[in-house]
Every structure is written in structure tokens, then in C-alpha cells.
């Protein structure tokens, strides 16, 4: 089992729809969770960080964390073509103290 | 505030050569991490430095090394380059080590091509 798993996609949604990106992780003791966006040919850009169970909203983005289910998700409301990118989930696993482990990323395509 | 800067942005080397990459973190950030990104393997952790000390190392051979200076700037070195070292090398900085929950901010990366 991979330490951090994401569906590689592509996930295709129409413009204006809600995109839902999911991530599971192996270490129940993990405390810090991050979502990054990476456009083709560019470096990852931090979108959200979340540390507590529940939802955290920032503009059109909502991160959801469920530590009991070892699951973190990112919702993008009113998706725009400019949201088309690869979204990377990153988890600071307690068993790998200090290492931030990235999932393989989910490619999102927002069609006009 | 200026972001993370990396130099050079592009490099072409031949097998057997060595290369040194440089990273300047965001002002005030004291932790620097290095990653290798390839299409097949994704983002792989290389090492993390804080206060000039290596705190963690990923599963890479000893040909990969790094260091951090007193001004928090960091360098990584790859010796005896192999074709498989062709990748995007990313530097990320954070206020404190990631074990403290600090978010990392990435630089633009150095794209290395080994021929």
C-alpha cells in the first residue's frame, strides 16, 4: 500500500461544476495535510493546508479531513478552465517524521 | 516578499559529470527541502535541512548530497551523473521543519538533462 494515494485521473468536469479530488494515506498518526496545484511545466503551488478534522474553506476551495477514515479531499466550486492542472496531496506522515510525502497527483480537466 | 529562487533553471550535462544546484529560501524561512520530480516516479523526497543540519534523507544513493549555509541558502550536488538523473529538481522552503507542520513553498525548479 502506498503511503499517500490519489486517483491519477484525468478527472473531467464541465465549467461551473464542482470538482472533487480525493486522497488517502496510510499512517493514522499523520497530523499535517496539504494540497498543491501544479500546472504543466511549472512547480507546485500551495493551495491549502489542513490540520484538524472537518472542513476548511478558502474562496472556491474547500479541504475536508477525516482522520478516522484516513482521508483528505479538495473540493473546487465553480470550476474554471484555468483550474485545469495536476493536484497533489501531501501528508506529513508521523512514521516518517519530517518527510512530506506526495501522492502521484490527480489531473483535472475543466471543459468550457 | 520574494519567493524561493533556484539556479540555474536549466542544465545539460553528460554521464559521469557532476552538478551543483542552488536554492535561496523565502526570507525568514530556515528549512529547505529538495525533491526530484520525474513523470514516472512523481515527487520524490531527497533531503531536508534546518539550521545547517540534515534532518532527513530520502531513498537516494550517496551520489546525491546537499548542504545548508548559515544564511539558510542550500545547495545539492549530484556526482557521477546517470541518464536516470534527468529530472526536475525542486527546492522548497518552510519556516520550520515539516515535522512541525509548516507548509512548504516551492521554487521554480532546475530542469536537468543528462545525455
Amino acid at each position: 500500500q502506498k503511503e499517500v494515494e490519489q486517483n491519477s485521473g484525468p478527472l473531467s468536469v464541465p465549467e461551473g461544476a464542482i470538482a472533487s479530488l480525493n486522497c488517502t494515506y496510510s499512517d493514522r498518526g499523520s497530523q499535517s495535510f496539504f494540497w498543491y496545484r501544479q500546472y504543466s511545466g511549472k512547480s507546485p503551488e500551495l493551495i491549502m493546508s489542513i490540520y484538524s478534522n472537518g472542513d476548511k474553506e478558502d474562496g472556491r476551495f474547500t479541504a475536508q479531513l477525516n482522520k478516522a477514515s484516513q482521508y483528505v479531499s479538495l473540493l473546487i466550486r465553480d470550476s474554471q478552465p484555468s483550474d485545469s492542472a495536476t493536484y497533489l496531496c501531501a501528508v506529513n506522515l508521523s512514521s516518517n517524521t519530517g518527510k512530506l510525502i506526495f501522492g502521484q497527483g490527480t489531473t483535472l480537466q475543466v471543459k468550457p | 516578499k520574494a519567493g524561493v529562487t533556484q539556479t540555474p533553471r536549466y542544465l545539460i550535462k553528460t554521464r559521469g559529470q557532476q552538478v551543483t544546484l542552488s536554492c535561496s529560501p523565502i526570507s525568514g524561512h530556515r528549512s529547505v527541502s529538495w525533491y526530484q520530480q520525474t513523470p514516472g516516479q512523481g515527487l520524490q523526497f531527497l533531503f531536508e535541512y534546518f539550521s545547517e543540519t540534515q534532518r532527513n534523507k530520502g531513498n537516494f544513493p550517496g551520489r546525491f548530497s546537499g548542504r545548508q549555509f548559515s544564511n539558510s541558502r542550500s545547495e545539492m550536488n549530484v556526482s557521477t551523473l546517470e541518464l536516470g538523473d534527468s529530472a526536475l529538481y525542486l527546492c522548497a522552503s518552510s519556516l520550520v521543519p515539516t515535522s512541525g507542520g509548516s507548509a512548504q513553498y516551492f521554487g521554480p525548479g532546475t530542469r536537468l538533462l543528462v545525455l
Side-chain angles (χ1 to χ4, degrees):
Chain A
Q1 180 189 6
K2 289 185 180 178
E3 292 172 307
V4 180
E5 292 204 65
Q6 296 181 257
N7 188 321
S8 61
L11 172 66
S12 184
V13 300
E15 183 176 356
I18 296 176
S20 178
L21 304 160
N22 305 314
C23 173
T24 58
Y25 57 95
S26 61
D27 188 345
R28 187 175 291 273
S30 300
Q31 298 294 325
S32 308
F33 308 85
F34 307 91
W35 282 100
Y36 288 84
R37 175 175 63 195
Q38 187 173 25
Y39 292 112
S40 180
K42 301 293 186 182
S43 62
E45 173 192 9
L46 179 69
I47 300 174
M48 301 272 290
S49 59
I50 187 166
Y51 305 95
S52 304
N53 278 329
D55 295 359
K56 179 181 179 182
E57 187 175 318
D58 184 0
R60 295 186 297 112
F61 299 97
T62 299
Q64 299 175 318
L65 175 61
N66 184 326
K67 291 184 179 180
S69 299
Q70 295 169 237
Y71 177 95
V72 57
S73 64
L74 180 70
L75 300 178
I76 306 175
R77 290 183 300 281
D78 188 24
S79 295
Q80 301 297 309
S82 59
D83 294 326
S84 298
T86 296
Y87 289 79
L88 299 164
C89 170
V91 180
N92 184 241
L93 302 179
S94 62
S95 59
N96 275 313
T97 305
K99 294 181 185 179
L100 197 60
I101 305 299
F102 285 79
Q104 289 289 92
T106 299
T107 299
L108 173 66
Q109 296 174 346
V110 181
K111 298 190 183 253
Chain B
K1 190 181 276 192
V4 179
T5 58
Q6 291 187 246
T7 57
R9 294 292 309 279
Y10 303 93
L11 265 180
I12 299 176
K13 293 285 188 180
T14 56
R15 280 181 300 174
Q17 287 187 308
Q18 75 163 13
V19 66
T20 298
L21 311 181
S22 182
C23 171
S24 292
I26 292 170
S27 177
H29 284 196
R30 296 172 59 199
S31 181
V32 173
S33 296
W34 288 90
Y35 296 87
Q36 181 196 67
Q37 187 174 36
T38 58
Q41 298 297 317
L43 261 170
Q44 302 287 309
F45 172 79
L46 280 158
F47 23 66
E48 180 182 33
Y49 287 89
F50 177 73
S51 293
E52 302 178 65
T53 302
Q54 186 180 89
R55 286 180 56 86
N56 268 297
K57 191 176 191 306
N59 297 323
F60 280 82
R63 301 184 296 107
F64 292 81
S65 63
R67 59 178 176 167
Q68 186 181 34
F69 303 96
S70 58
N71 61 358
S72 295
R73 192 177 67 85
S74 177
E75 289 182 347
M76 68 163 282
N77 184 276
V78 188
S79 62
T80 320
L81 284 166
E82 300 177 358
L83 295 179
D85 296 334
S86 295
L88 179 66
Y89 289 88
L90 291 159
C91 167
S93 77
S94 56
L95 278 169
V96 295
T98 54
S99 58
S102 188
Q104 291 188 341
Y105 298 85
F106 284 86
T110 294
R111 192 165 296 279
L112 172 65
L113 177 61
V114 182
L115 301 175

